[in-house]
Amino acid sequence: MLVVTESAETVAKETIPTLHFPQEDVLSTPEERKLRRFDADRACALGNNEHGKLDIYFKTADGSAKRVQTTVWGVHESYLTLKAGITLPIHAIIGFDFY
């Protein structure tokens, strides 16, 4: 999975509810989507077991790459629940950086 790190703007998790996300999945292949789901589950385990933070890279509707540093509390069918109950659509996620 390609993660764009240099050009991603860092945003606070509190701004995520104000953002607009693309309608289509940002990943093009089933293999990339499967890896993203695996990484999402791994991120949730890290958040729940160790309260660990990670970087999540995602795209907004205008095509710009963003990064948020946060804890993942839940993985659902179509979105992640982040710390403070904020949700992020899975189809907008480019990838994860577990440091």
Side-chain angles (χ1 to χ4, degrees), residues 31-83:
E31 293 80 18
E32 290 175 320
R33 294 175 187 156
K34 185 176 179 180
L35 179 59
R36 177 179 58 199
R37 176 59 71 164
F38 175 82
D39 284 346
D41 290 335
R42 184 174 159 215
C44 185
L46 175 69
N48 286 300
N49 296 332
E50 301 176 27
H51 301 280
K53 288 187 176 184
L54 68 152
D55 287 343
I56 303 172
Y57 294 87
F58 61 95
K59 282 194 176 180
T60 55
D62 65 3
S64 62
K66 308 282 188 194
R67 173 177 69 185
V68 63
Q69 184 182 58
T70 189
T71 303
V72 176
W73 291 116
V75 179
H76 310 278
E77 183 67 31
S78 60
Y79 63 93
L80 300 181
T81 300
L82 309 178
K83 192 172 183 180

Side-chain angles (χ1 to χ4, degrees), residues 7-47:
S7 62
E9 174 192 1
T10 301
V11 296
K13 71 178 174 302
E14 293 80 11
T15 65
I16 291 175
T18 67
L19 300 175
H20 298 282
F21 299 99
Q23 296 295 320
E24 300 296 318
D25 201 309
V26 297
L27 300 181
S28 56
T29 68
E31 293 80 18
E32 290 175 320
R33 294 175 187 156
K34 185 176 179 180
L35 179 59
R36 177 179 58 199
R37 176 59 71 164
F38 175 82
D39 284 346
D41 290 335
R42 184 174 159 215
C44 185
L46 175 69

